[in-house]
Amino acid sequence: MKLADVQFLAGKAAEIRLNLLKMIFKAKMGHTGSSLSDTDILTTLYYDVMQLRVDEPDWEERDRFILSKGHAVESYYCILADMGFIDKEELNTFCQYQTRLIGHPNNKVPGIEMNTGALGHGLSIAVGMAKAAKMDNKDYRVFVLMGDGEQAEGSVWEAAMAGAHFGLDNLIGIIDRNRLQITGATEEVMGIEPLVGKWRNFGWQVLEIDGHNYGELKKCLSSTPVEEGKPTMILANTIKGKGVSFIENKAGWHHRVPSASELNQAVEELSPLIGVDIDG
């Protein structure tokens, strides 16, 4: 990628991280660590890879995205607001009474395809969408982002079989491999390794990357299908809580809300990366 492209994505990701922290702080609830870890993935998808029309959210030829790890919705909402799918002021209603911006993706919000949150469902939905594209001779791709703790759900592997069986090379799965879930390390809660070997054995083409490296993200997300007739799984190695020093790699921040002093510290760390002065 060009340096300018990397700088833009890095600045945008820092802005999204800061906005989601402010949103969680105001709401006094949210999934902080999970949203911070997938921000670079979503930023690359939405600002550089996917074909979308903000003024026509239901455009038939659009690429589809499913946030299967629906609890990490904060980064998703902030990106949709920044792009113009919804008004930025609506972020202030997150998790408030009668809001559209509930704690998991809500398809009443423009730009969101499906309600998600019950882990293990997103890949099955994505398989159906990708199969529909094939049946209708459409060229759109279907992206689905899963958590690594989610890999313990049996429905994930049923969908994995179906995706390979139907040769859905327009289907791109992404695993946010931050190695932490709400109760601790994934390998202690329910061992899921070897993930690369498992997905390959299920008939998928598998790529392993640094989930915070924009060059690697763009290359993998843009170069699909990697192999004709096979769905692609991208194993994105990430850091839970990425971008805020005192949140990184701490399982306790899965569902923790920052205090006022912690938010101010995050503002100090993230603002220089945005390139403009931000009022914390």
Side-chain angles (χ1 to χ4, degrees):
M1 292 181 72
K2 296 179 182 178
L3 179 59
D5 295 334
V6 172
Q7 290 174 330
F8 169 78
L9 291 174
K12 185 58 67 177
E15 182 181 354
I16 297 302
R17 286 187 167 99
L18 187 52
N19 288 339
L20 74 87
L21 286 168
K22 290 180 176 180
M23 188 171 71
I24 290 171
F25 176 77
K26 180 178 177 59
K28 302 304 179 190
M29 63 181 69
H31 289 82
T32 305
S34 303
S35 290
L36 290 171
S37 76
D38 70 19
T39 297
D40 295 316
I41 298 168
L42 292 182
T43 298
T44 306
L45 273 173
Y46 272 86
Y47 294 94
D48 198 80
V49 174
M50 289 200 301
Q51 298 296 313
L52 301 166
R53 290 181 178 174
V54 174
D55 59 350
E56 192 180 347
D58 296 325
W59 176 44
E60 192 172 348
E61 306 298 328
R62 71 190 182 281
D63 289 329
R64 273 66 166 171
F65 173 73
I66 301 294
L67 182 64
S68 191
K69 50 173 285 183
H71 56 280
V73 72
E74 293 85 356
S75 49
Y76 195 14
Y77 284 155
C78 287
I79 286 173
L80 292 176
D82 185 69
M83 294 188 73
F85 284 96
I86 59 174
D87 193 290
K88 289 183 179 180
E89 289 299 313
E90 190 170 357
L91 296 178
N92 292 319
T93 72
F94 175 61
C95 284
Q96 304 299 311
Y97 180 61
Q98 291 189 330
T99 183
R100 294 190 298 179
L101 305 187
I102 57 178
H104 290 81
N106 172 17
N107 65 3
K108 290 187 172 69
V109 177
I112 293 181
E113 302 287 347
M114 293 292 298
N115 296 357
T116 56
L119 296 178
H121 293 179
L123 188 60
S124 297
I125 297 168
V127 165
M129 289 180 168
K131 177 64 172 171
K134 292 288 188 182
M135 294 173 68
D136 293 340
N137 294 314
K138 298 292 185 181
D139 292 330
Y140 64 78
R141 297 164 296 174
V142 182
F143 298 88
V144 56
L145 177 60
M146 298 180 285
D148 49 5
E150 186 176 1
Q151 303 306 294
E153 299 284 352
S155 53
V156 168
W157 301 101
E158 294 178 50
M161 285 191 290
H165 175 77
F166 292 115
L168 301 179
D169 52 14
N170 56 342
L171 174 61
I172 303 97
I174 311 161
I175 298 174
D176 182 6
R177 185 66 170 119
N178 60 39
R179 292 174 170 77
L180 290 173
Q181 56 193 99
I182 190 168
T183 53
T186 54
E187 294 310 295
E188 294 175 4
V189 176
M190 177 63 70
I192 56 176
E193 291 291 354
L195 269 182
V196 171
K198 286 177 180 175
W199 281 97
R200 283 180 179 158
N201 287 339
F202 270 76
W204 290 56
Q205 181 60 255
V206 183
L207 303 173
E208 188 169 10
I209 65 168
D210 177 350
H212 301 303
N213 183 299
Y214 300 110
E216 291 185 28
L217 283 165
K218 177 182 172 63
K219 181 179 179 180
C220 289
L221 294 169
S222 301
S223 303
T224 53
V226 176
E227 183 176 340
E228 188 173 350
K230 279 189 176 183
T232 299
M233 182 57 64
I234 298 172
L235 183 58
N237 290 299
T238 61
I239 297 171
K240 190 147 187 163
K242 174 68 175 178
V244 183
S245 62
F246 58 90
I247 299 178
E248 289 187 356
N249 271 327
K250 292 183 172 63
W253 275 94
H254 181 90
H255 201 275
R256 183 180 158 188
V257 176
S259 66
S261 61
E262 289 169 334
L263 179 61
N264 287 336
Q265 183 177 341
V267 169
E268 292 178 2
E269 293 185 15
L270 290 167
S271 293
L273 303 176
I274 300 172
V276 295
D277 291 330
I278 298 290
D279 181 7

